[in-house]
Each structure stands twice: as C-alpha cells, then as structure tokens.
Amino acid sequence: MPNRGIQEEIWHPEGAMAKCDEDLPGSRQQRPTLAVLGDKFKRQASSFLHQVRCKWAVAVLGLVVGMIILASTVPIFPLGSLRWSSNEGPIGPQLDPKMRPCRSTLSFASTPMPRIALASFAGSGNTFLRGALEQITGIWTGSSVPDYQLYHGGFYGEVTNDDKVILIKTHSFGKKAVKANYKKAILLIRKPEDAILAKWNQYKTRTHTGIAKADTYDSRDWEYFAPRAITEWKELNEYWLSQNPATLHVVQFDELLKDKRGEIKKILDFLEFKDTDEEIFNCVVQKYQGLFKRRKYKLDFEPFNTELKEQMENARDLIQQAVEEWKFSKFDTVELEE
C-alpha cells in the first residue's frame, strides 16, 4: 500500500498556495481567489439571514396565535367568544333547557346593588345556589375571582364584582374579605367531609364535575391537602360567623337541598328582593338541578384516617356552636329592631 503523506499548506509571498502530496506528484492547487471567497461569504450570510428570518417568523406566528387564543378566551377582548350588549350583559351560546329550565334571559341589575358576598368554602354548593338565584331574580351573580370554566359554562356575570350583580361569590376570609368591603353576606356551610372531597375532586381534575381517581388518596398530596383543607374550612366559616349577625345570613347546604322553597325564600327576604315571579320561583324549586353537577359516586374506602376524623369532628363542633350563637344573636337583633 502506498504511503500517503501529510498535506501541507505552503504560503508564498505572492499569495498562492501549493499542496504537496507524495501520492499525487505534481499535484498543485491555487488558493481561492477573492471573488470565490466573496461568493462563499455571500452564500453563508444568506443562509444565516434565512435562518434568522425563519426564527423570527415562527416567533411572530406564535405570538399572533397566542393573542388570538387569549382574545377568544378572555371576554374583555373584542374577539371573545361571547359578545356584550350594554343592557343585558353578555350574550352566550344557547344552554340546554335542563340547565336553565325556568328563565332563558338574564341581565345585569338596572339599578346599583349593594355589595353582598356569597361566602363559602370551595366545594360547598356555591355554584348550585348561584344558579338558582339567577333563575329566580333574572340578575347575574358575580365573583371576586373569575373562574372561566364557569363563565363559559353559563355564568356570564362571573367576570363582574361590582354593583351590577345581585351577589358576589367569594372563598375569601380575613383581610381579603375586609378589603372587599361587603355590606352584607350569605354564608353557605356544607359538612366538612363532603366539601373537602368536592374541593379535592376539583383540585385533581381541574374541573367542576370531574372525580379524582382512587389512587390519588394514597399519596403525599392528599396527606398534605386534607388537614390544611379542614383548617381552612373551620377558619373561613369561623370568620364569617363572627361578623355582625344583622348583616349575615347562614344557609346549611343540606337544609337547602331538603327545603329549597323555604331556604331560598329566606335568602330572598335577606336580599330584600321583592320582584319575584311566583311561576318562575315554583319552576326553580321543582326543576332546577344546577349547571355544574358532579355525578353521584361512592368511594369503596375511607379517605379520612383517624387523625383527620378527629380534626374534622372538632372543627364541625366548633362551627356548629358558632351557628347556634349566630341564631341566638340574630333573634335578639330582630327583637330589638321590633
């Protein structure tokens, strides 16, 4: 086999370059001319600029697509999937009559409404009660923090928290509630075990109707979530029950389901809402099932261990005692007013 030598580059003063190769005697190449180098540089520069243009085009395209998606999701943009009329509020897609069986058209209040909170621990039936009251009054309810799943599901007052709505949903308490400056409040209380499981379902599925998988309860996530949720349930209800009894109305969710007519009548009296259509009221009592209703299910295991049960029982007893004190204070307040 011939022995191939190492090529060498020999630079001459004249600028020419010779390459020596022992296997290719007499071989000699000239160094590329300036014109050739210029063409090569132009090709490389053109390729580089083409790549830059492509990247910028992709970035701009991504930005435009993102803006379109945002505009179609957030209702304040003109491209929003729902349009607004000045008097009747947002006009959304037609809903299943079973979801709004009694009144198809709602609007914002024609006169300023007082800021009234509908307070509850998440998962306590707030959405159910809001829907019923919207059907009866014909006025949107609002929210302190918008939930766009609810908005696109038919709660078109969800993005409003001013004097145009009859109630404002809130899961806040303490300083945040004080800052909101509510004039009155309705507190909706649900049994802690039911409310906490409902919130867990929402947390794990990121929906209002989904059900968490059984194996999610056997996790550090549940171990972290459950005791803190019990504490939050207690502190939220405790805070609202400590407010002036004259400006507070308490609704027990189980009682609401048992006696919709009686409990909703008490709420309307508390709201001082007089313009009630009896036909629509009766329709809501008989037919309304809720816009976001999770199907019934039963766990084949106990999600709350002994320690959690004890913590929950203590919280339940404390809140029940506070409810009884509120009832007593409420009665005294009424007596004094009379």
Side-chain angles (χ1 to χ4, degrees), residues 44-65:
Q44 291 177 345
S46 176
S47 176
F48 173 78
L49 291 174
H50 176 71
Q51 292 177 12
V52 170
R53 284 195 297 268
C54 287
K55 290 179 180 178
W56 272 103
V58 170
V60 172
L61 179 61
L63 180 61
V64 171
V65 170

Side-chain angles (χ1 to χ4, degrees), residues 22-35:
E22 294 178 359
D23 292 332
L24 298 174
S27 166
R28 188 177 184 83
Q29 296 181 351
Q30 295 293 322
R31 183 190 181 196
T33 63
L34 290 176

Side-chain angles (χ1 to χ4, degrees), residues 3 30 59 69 130 136-137 150-151 186 201 252 265 277 286 300 309 312:
N3 181 24
Q30 295 293 322
I69 292 173
R130 287 176 65 191
I136 292 170
T137 64
L150 295 181
Y151 178 87
I186 296 172
N201 284 324
Q252 302 269 14
K265 180 68 168 59
D277 185 311
Q286 296 168 12
D300 57 3
K309 285 182 179 179
M312 200 155 45

Side-chain angles (χ1 to χ4, degrees), residues 3 118 142 213:
N3 181 24
L118 177 54
K213 295 180 180 179

